[in-house]
Amino acid sequence: MNDTKSGDDKTLSVTPKKTLTLKRPGLEQGTVRQNFSHGRTKSVVVETKKRKFSLPGDKPEPVAASVFTPKPAAAPVAAAPVVQEAPKAPPPPPERSGMVLNELSRGEMEARRKALEGSKVREAEDRQRAQEDAKRRTEEEERRKRERDESARRQAEEEARLQTEAEARRRAEEEARRRAPLAADVATVDDEEEAKPRRTGAGASAPPRRLATPEVARPAKPTKSEEDRRRGKLTLNSALSDDDARARSLSSMRRRQEKFKRALHNEPREKVMREVILPETITIQELAQRMSERAVDVVKFFMKQGQILKPGDVIDADTAELVASEFGHTVRRVAESDIEEGLFNIADRPEDLVSRPPVVTIMGHVDHGKTSLLDAIRNANVVSGEAGGITQHIGAYQIEKNGQKITFIDTPGHAAFTAMRARGAQVTDIAVLVVAADDSVMPQTIESISHAKAAGVPIIVAINKIDKHDADPQKVRTELLRHEVFVESMGGEVLDVEVSATKGTNLDKLLEAILLQSEVLDLKANPDRTAEGAVIEAQLDKGRGPVATVLVQTGTLMPGDIIVAGNEWGRVRALVNDRGEHVPEAPPAMPVEVLGLQGTPQAGDRFAVVNNEARAREITEYRQRLARDKAVAKHAGQRGSLEQMMSQLQTSGLKEFPLVIKGDVQGSIEAINAALEKLGNDEVRARIVHAGAGGITESDVSLAETSGAAIIGFNVRANAQARAAAAAAGIEIRYYSIIYNLVDDVKAALSGMLSPERRETFIGNAEILEIFDISKIGKIAGCRVTEGKVERGAGVRLIRDNVVIHEGTLKTLKRFKDEVSEVPGGQECGMAFQNYEDMRVGDVIECFRIEMVTRTL
C-alpha cells in the first residue's frame, strides 16, 4: 500500500479487491402499505439514507481520512481505472484505531443483513395480503351482482303479475260497462289509475286504452304517488336506500283487489257466525266485540226495539242472548258460579277408598247429660269449662276404642243452638240421642230427632241417668214410639243403651254399639286426594289469629295446603288436634284446628283444598260479591227517601233496639242472632248493627256511638282503649257468659220500649129521665143509675139508640144540691157534660175508667 500521507489521489484510490461492487448506494427507496377500515389501502414511498463504512483494504471514508490526515481528501477518481490497477504491496497491519473501525463495520453489516431479510419477509407478506384482499373484493362484487340480478328478476315477475291482473280487471270492466255505461265509466277511471305499472321499461305494457265515454267529474283527492301505492315486497335495494316510504304488503294489495271485485259485482261480504259466550251480565260494548259486530249496530237494534242504550250499559244474559240470535250467532251461557266447578264432590274410584272412623254427634235436650257422657268417655273434664254447666260451642274430639277411632261432635242442647245442632247433624254419620231417664222425652229431644232424620243418619239412643232413683228407662222407650223411634227392645231397629255418665255404667256397650253401627254403614273415604270437609267452629284468637275447627271428610289435609272455607281462604300454617298437639296431617274423619286463614269463616261452611292462591282469591271474591249482593237485595226494601221513612215510622210505629254484639266464636254469635230475631213483634225489634267474633275494640265503640247502639260481649272483654272510649261516650258495655241471661235482658229492654196498653174498665150506666135548663149553668140531665155506679172525673159516653153520640167527661155530678164524688146504683143524680148539651130523655150515659197497663213481650 502506498503511503497515505503523500496526497496522491491515485495512490489513495487503489483497491485490490472487487468487493466495492457489493456496496449499495447511499440512498434506498421502499414502499410501505397502510391498511385502513372498509378494506382501503395506501402505498407510501419511504427513502432510507445509510451511513457509509469501509472494509479492510477499501478506500477510507472521509471520516477515517480526517482521522489519519488533517488534509481533506481530493475528489475520487473514476471506478474503472481504480479496478484495473493492481496492488503493489500487501497492506500493512492496521493500527489499533483501524481494528476498532473494522469490528464496528462487521456488527453493522450483520444488523443490516438481518434488516434486509426482515424487509423481504414483510414484502412477501404484504404481497400475499394484497392478493387475498383482491380475491375478497372480487367475491363481494360477484355476490352483489347476483343479488341485483335476483332483485331485478323478482321485480320483473311482480310487474308481469300486475300487468296480468290489470288485463283481467280491464276485461271485467268492459263487461260491466256493457251492462251499465255510466257506472262502468266511473269504475274504469279508478281501475286505470290502479292498473298503471309501477315502472316503465321494455318489459312494461302500455296503459289500457281509455274508452270514449263521458267522464264523470269528481273532486280530486290527495293521494300518494303511483310508485308509493304500487310498492311491493321489501327488496335489498329498497332496504339499503334512504327512502323511508312505507311499502304495502302483498296481503294488503290482495285485500284491496278482493274488495274492489266485491264492489264491482255488489257482492255482500260473507258473514262469520260465531259462538258467543255470555255471562250473567255483560255490557253492550263487550257483547259487540264477542260477536265481531259494531257497537253502533247493536245500539241501533235496541233503538228499533224502543230502548235508548249506550255501549257501556249493562244488560242481562237473556237480553244478550236475544241480540246475539238476531245477529245470527249461537250462544253459550255461562254463570259466575262455574268458577266453583270441580271444587266439591269429586268422584273417587272404588279401588281408592279405604275405611275411615265414624263421626258421631251427641244430641239431646239441655241438661240431659250429653257433655257429661262425652266427659266420661274422654276421661276429661269438659263440663267444668262451660258457664252454667251447659255447652255453648260445638266441640269435636277423637277417641280410640279397641284400636278403632271414633270422632265425637258435641252439640249444645239449648234451644238457641238449633241451627248449630242442625249443622252438627249434617256432617255426622251416627247420631247418639241422649235422653235422661228421669225427664224422658223433652221438646229439644224431639228437635234432635227431626234433625237426625232430616240428615238421614241412624240414631243410637243413650238412656242416661239410670242411677237416679226416679229413673224410668221403659217410659223413655215408650215415648220415643210416638216420634217414630223404635228401639230394638220394642221390636224396632234402633239400638238403645242404658248408661250412667256419672257412674261410668255401660259406656263400653255404647262404644261397641257405635262401632257396630259403623260396620253396617261401611264408611269409606279416599285419603290420597285433596281434602274436603266442613267448618265446625270458627273463632278469632288473640294470639293465633283466625282459628277454624274443621272436620276432614275426605282426602288428607296437610300444612301448606291452600284452602277455601266459605268467604275466606288461607294457607294452612299448622294443624292442632283436640289435645293441643301439632299434627303433620289430618286424614278423613279427623277434627283439627286450622291456623292460617285470612279471616274467620262461618260455622257450617264447607272447605276444600285448591291448587293455587289465584284460584282461591277468585273463588272467595266471587262468594264475597255474592254475599254483598244478597245483603243489598235484603235491605233494598228498607231504604227509601226521608219522607218514606218518616211515614213508615208514623204508620207502623216500629221501634228498633240497635245492638253491637261481640262473641268468642262464630257459632255463639249465630245462636244469639237467631234468639234475638224471635223476640221482636210489630212494634219493637232488636236490630243487630254489627256482630263478629273477637274482643270489643275501640272501633266497636265508635260504631255503637254512631248508631246509638248498646254493646254486648259474650265471653269476651273490652280492651283498655275501648273501655276509655265507652266511658267518654257514655255507652254501657254488658258482659254475658250464659246465653239465656243475655236473651232475658234484651227482652226486658224491648219490653220497656213498648207503648203501654190502654185498658178500659166499665163502671156503670145511668138513664136520663128529665132535662132541666138552668140559667147561667146550662142543661142538666136528671138521671137514675141503673147499673154499677157513676164517678165524677171518669170518662162518659152518651149513647142514643145504641149509637155513641158523644164521648167526654162530666162537668158536674150532684145529688140534690150537693156535689158528690160518686152515686151508687138505684139512686138518682144530676149530671152535666163538659162542653156538650145535646141531651135527650131516654139517652143512656155510660161511665168508664181508662187505665194504662205496661206491656211485656
Side-chain angles (χ1 to χ4, degrees), residues 345-367:
N345 302 324
I346 302 174
D348 294 317
R349 295 183 301 176
E351 57 268 21
D352 296 333
L353 300 178
V354 296
S355 298
R356 65 168 177 86
V359 180
V360 181
T361 299
I362 296 183
M363 309 173 76
H365 191 71
V366 63
D367 199 28

Side-chain angles (χ1 to χ4, degrees), residues 458-475:
I459 298 175
I460 296 177
V461 179
I463 304 175
N464 196 16
K465 301 183 182 181
I466 61 171
D467 55 322
K468 288 192 173 184
H469 65 279
D470 56 347
D472 189 0
Q474 193 62 29
K475 179 183 176 183

Side-chain angles (χ1 to χ4, degrees), residues 551-736:
L551 177 68
V552 182
Q553 294 174 303
T554 183
T556 302
L557 185 63
M558 300 182 185
D561 288 344
I562 301 173
I563 66 172
V564 175
N567 296 343
E568 305 295 340
W569 73 277
R571 187 182 293 273
V572 178
R573 291 206 316 264
L575 299 175
V576 184
N577 61 11
D578 57 320
R579 293 181 293 274
E581 302 169 350
H582 285 256
V583 293
E585 61 181 17
M590 181 176 179
V592 288
E593 284 187 342
V594 175
L595 280 67
L597 291 173
Q598 301 289 328
T600 306
Q602 301 292 322
D605 287 338
R606 298 183 67 187
F607 80 88
V609 175
V610 295
N611 297 330
N612 48 47
E613 293 185 5
R615 178 165 165 78
R617 285 197 188 92
E618 199 173 3
I619 294 173
T620 52
E621 286 174 0
Y622 161 70
R623 291 181 174 179
Q624 291 169 2
R625 184 167 62 252
L626 203 63
R628 286 195 300 268
D629 294 344
K630 287 183 179 178
V632 169
K634 179 179 179 181
H635 299 290
Q638 301 177 4
R639 291 201 295 262
S641 63
L642 182 60
E643 292 80 4
Q644 292 174 347
M645 293 173 63
M646 295 302 295
S647 63
Q648 182 181 4
L649 287 175
Q650 290 175 359
T651 55
S652 64
L654 181 63
K655 298 178 182 179
E656 291 183 340
F657 183 32
L659 293 172
V660 173
I661 299 175
K662 296 302 287 291
D664 54 348
V665 294
Q666 194 68 37
S668 301
I669 294 168
E670 290 187 1
I672 293 170
N673 291 349
L676 295 183
E677 284 180 359
K678 299 177 182 178
L679 294 181
N681 57 14
D682 295 338
E683 295 185 32
V684 294
R685 69 179 179 91
R687 179 171 63 91
I688 299 175
V689 178
H690 172 67
I696 300 172
T697 61
E698 194 173 358
S699 60
D700 297 327
V701 177
S702 302
L703 179 62
E705 183 181 3
T706 304
S707 58
I711 300 177
I712 292 178
F714 185 77
N715 285 335
V716 295
R717 291 294 182 268
N719 55 28
Q721 295 84 359
R723 289 196 299 269
I731 297 175
E732 182 183 6
I733 302 177
R734 304 290 297 270
Y735 300 111
Y736 298 92

